[in-house]
Amino acid sequence: MNEHSNIVPLRQPDEIDDPLTNILRSGARQLLAQAVEMEAEAFLAAMKGLKRPDGRDRLVRHGHGPVRTIQTGIGAVEVARVKIRDRAVTSDGERIRFTSAILPLWARRTKSLDALLPVLYLRGISTGDFQEALAALLGKDAPNLSPGWFSRLTTEWQLEYERWQKRDLSARRYVYVWADGVFLQARMEDHSECMLVLIGATPEGKKELIGFQVGVRESTQSWHELLVEAKTRGLKIAPEIAVGDGALGFWKALDEVFPATRHQRCWVHKTANILNKVAVSVQASMKKDLREVYLASNRASAEVAIDVFAEKYGAKYDKAVECLTKDRDAMLAFYEFPAEHWDHLRTTNPIESVFATVRHRTVRTKGSLSSTTAKLMVFKLLCAASKTWRRLKGTNQLPKVSAGVRFENGIEVIQVPENHAA
């Protein structure tokens, strides 16, 4: 006898009916399985020449490992690792082992997911909230995202940071460098720690992270240690120009370590410093006049724009005028380099964009971010951000000062020796 029920099962609050995501996950599962199979077959084909004494293949397939779940950007995907057996043992007892590059032995997450977590943490999500925050993306179970796992992950980042700090720079040259620092009040300590960052541009136009460390403050000694460290690891050729804010510690250290490097002050920082010295009602007009200086078509026009600025505001806002004119040469140094690079040399924006995230996290957590975790987070963010930094514009990346060529207002000028025949 059939029993009839009027009870209708209802959808649970945490369940999401998303057919598109289900299709994507199913397709990803099939593609991953195919890729793992193809990788194993390619390995066997490369080892086809290895034979046993009886003529049979030494390496053969040996089924699959247990099915495991990999966390990806579209949720959990199940896959099984291909196993390959070595049927011959050498005299020293060694066997040939197959290790998948696509599916490492202990992998539980994709690298892109690991790169996402520092961003989430610095955006204000605590380690204990990862499970809830990522449930909509990875599924409600979201295994392997516990606070303990995050602690293990930071340990891995620490080892990665230490390896990066020891890398060799002898084969590198950086034409331009950008320097900046940010203060963090970690765990409401009595003193503020400053994160110092140094970015460089190669002659090919690629921007790279050169140095990164934490100092007690943005002092000459802290910057000196960072620059000397880069020099001792092989960075022998001085950059053509360095871009930074008004922190005197960096400029003093730069003159001690790389005295030939030109100084270029960041226009974003300088503009903010100038506007802080005037009333709010004047700031919009003054900001527009400052743009006439650093967006001028050549240095001569920029010099004229500074004189006009001083005449216009000198009588009433003398402190703002002095803030600009006292650093006139350092503010206009970028005009002596290729015009294609002026946009890059006027500001330390690549560093500031990452530090804005760190400041946001510090405010949200009211100082609960430890200095060690903050350092590793910023390091990971800088490494991720470096992949998106804009390359230098144009093809003329290296100022040819030593080759008898110089730049005037961004235009290449050939220097002819005086005794050269006409």
Side-chain angles (χ1 to χ4, degrees):
M1 180 176 179
N2 296 329
E3 295 183 358
H4 299 279
S5 175
N6 294 327
I7 300 177
V8 178
L10 300 178
R11 181 184 302 167
Q12 298 300 315
D14 58 349
E15 292 182 355
I16 300 176
D17 185 11
D18 188 355
L20 179 58
T21 299
N22 293 334
I23 293 174
L24 290 174
R25 290 177 182 173
S26 176
R29 187 181 301 109
Q30 296 177 13
L31 289 175
L32 181 56
Q34 292 175 7
V36 171
E37 292 288 336
M38 293 174 61
E39 183 185 32
E41 293 297 333
F43 179 80
L44 289 174
M47 299 294 180
K48 191 69 175 177
L50 298 178
K51 302 292 183 179
R52 295 184 61 186
D54 58 5
R56 293 185 298 169
D57 291 337
R58 175 177 173 177
L59 299 176
V60 295
R61 292 183 62 109
H62 192 58
H64 293 80
V67 176
R68 56 176 151 149
T69 301
I70 303 295
Q71 292 295 336
T72 71
I74 57 173
V77 175
E78 294 181 347
V79 66
R81 178 176 59 90
V82 175
K83 297 172 65 177
I84 292 180
R85 178 186 174 190
D86 184 358
R87 299 192 296 181
V89 181
T90 60
S91 58
D92 56 4
E94 293 187 357
R95 292 181 179 272
I96 298 177
R97 301 182 182 278
F98 168 66
T99 302
S100 174
I102 299 175
L103 191 64
L105 189 60
W106 304 110
R108 291 295 182 269
R109 299 170 306 278
T110 59
K111 293 182 178 180
S112 60
L113 182 58
D114 285 347
L116 171 66
L117 297 178
V119 179
L120 294 178
Y121 189 82
L122 289 175
R123 286 295 180 184
I125 299 178
S126 300
T127 56
D129 296 332
F130 279 152
Q131 199 88 11
E132 180 179 355
L134 298 178
L137 178 64
L138 306 179
K140 62 179 181 179
D141 296 329
N144 306 312
L145 292 176
S146 64
W149 159 80
F150 185 79
S151 298
R152 293 190 295 271
L153 185 60
T154 54
T155 301
E156 296 176 8
W157 291 343
Q158 178 65 37
L159 296 175
E160 180 182 348
Y161 172 72
E162 292 174 356
R163 290 192 299 268
W164 179 84
Q165 287 284 72
K166 298 177 182 178
R167 75 198 189 285
D168 183 23
L169 297 177
S170 58
R172 313 299 296 167
R173 184 191 174 182
Y174 298 101
V175 185
Y176 310 137
V177 295
W178 293 261
D180 204 354
V182 65
F183 287 92
L184 295 179
Q185 190 69 29
R187 294 197 186 280
M188 305 303 292
E189 295 167 349
D190 294 334
H191 63 275
S192 294
E193 291 188 328
C194 183
M195 295 187 178
L196 309 179
V197 178
L198 196 66
I199 292 175
T202 66
E204 296 76 26
K206 181 182 178 182
K207 294 177 183 175
E208 298 178 350
L209 182 62
I210 302 176
F212 170 73
Q213 71 177 28
V214 177
V216 176
R217 60 188 185 280
E218 197 173 1
S219 62
T220 301
Q221 180 61 30
S222 297
W223 279 113
H224 187 272
E225 292 175 1
L226 180 59
L227 293 172
V228 168
E229 181 188 8
K231 193 170 184 178
T232 55
R233 285 189 285 112
L235 190 61
K236 303 298 184 182
I237 303 178
E240 297 290 340
I241 191 171
V243 185
D245 61 12
L248 297 178
F250 170 72
W251 302 115
K252 290 181 180 179
L254 182 68
D255 289 338
E256 294 172 0
V257 182
F258 296 114
T261 301
R262 298 283 301 274
H263 295 192
Q264 171 61 50
R265 291 283 300 276
C266 173
W267 270 98
V268 173
H269 287 88
K270 176 60 74 173
T271 299
N273 293 339
I274 294 173
L275 297 182
N276 285 338
K277 300 181 184 301
V278 301
V280 176
S281 58
V282 186
Q283 290 182 359
S285 175
M286 184 172 287
K287 186 176 182 179
K288 181 179 179 181
D289 291 334
L290 289 173
R291 288 173 58 88
E292 295 294 326
V293 179
Y294 61 81
L295 294 182
S297 59
N298 52 63
R299 176 156 185 163
S301 300
E303 296 275 9
V304 172
I306 290 179
D307 294 337
V308 172
F309 182 91
E311 182 178 357
K312 181 176 181 180
Y313 298 104
K316 192 172 182 180
Y317 304 106
D318 56 312
K319 291 184 178 180
V321 172
E322 181 185 2
C323 184
L324 173 63
T325 56
K326 69 184 180 68
D327 297 316
R328 180 189 292 251
D329 291 338
M331 300 307 303
L332 304 180
F334 69 89
Y335 281 109
E336 305 304 320
F337 294 85
E340 298 93 338
H341 303 167
W342 290 355
D343 288 345
H344 304 272
L345 296 177
R346 283 192 288 245
T347 177
T348 58
N349 185 61
I351 305 176
E352 279 294 310
S353 60
V354 177
F355 278 169
T357 305
V358 181
R359 293 189 183 99
H360 175 83
R361 170 66 181 182
T362 305
V363 173
R364 286 283 300 274
T365 57
K366 295 181 172 58
S368 65
L369 182 62
S370 70
S371 58
T372 301
T373 303
K375 177 188 70 175
L376 296 176
M377 287 294 183
V378 175
F379 170 68
K380 292 298 294 182
L381 283 176
L382 286 169
C383 291
S386 64
K387 300 177 182 179
T388 62
W389 286 336
R390 291 188 304 156
R391 297 178 65 93
L392 295 181
K393 296 179 181 178
T395 57
N396 186 12
Q397 310 296 356
L398 180 60
K400 306 172 186 177
V401 177
S402 60
V405 178
R406 61 186 175 86
F407 288 87
E408 289 185 358
N409 299 319
I411 302 176
E412 190 175 285
V413 178
I414 305 294
Q415 292 179 314
V416 181
E418 294 181 358
N419 59 354
H420 183 73

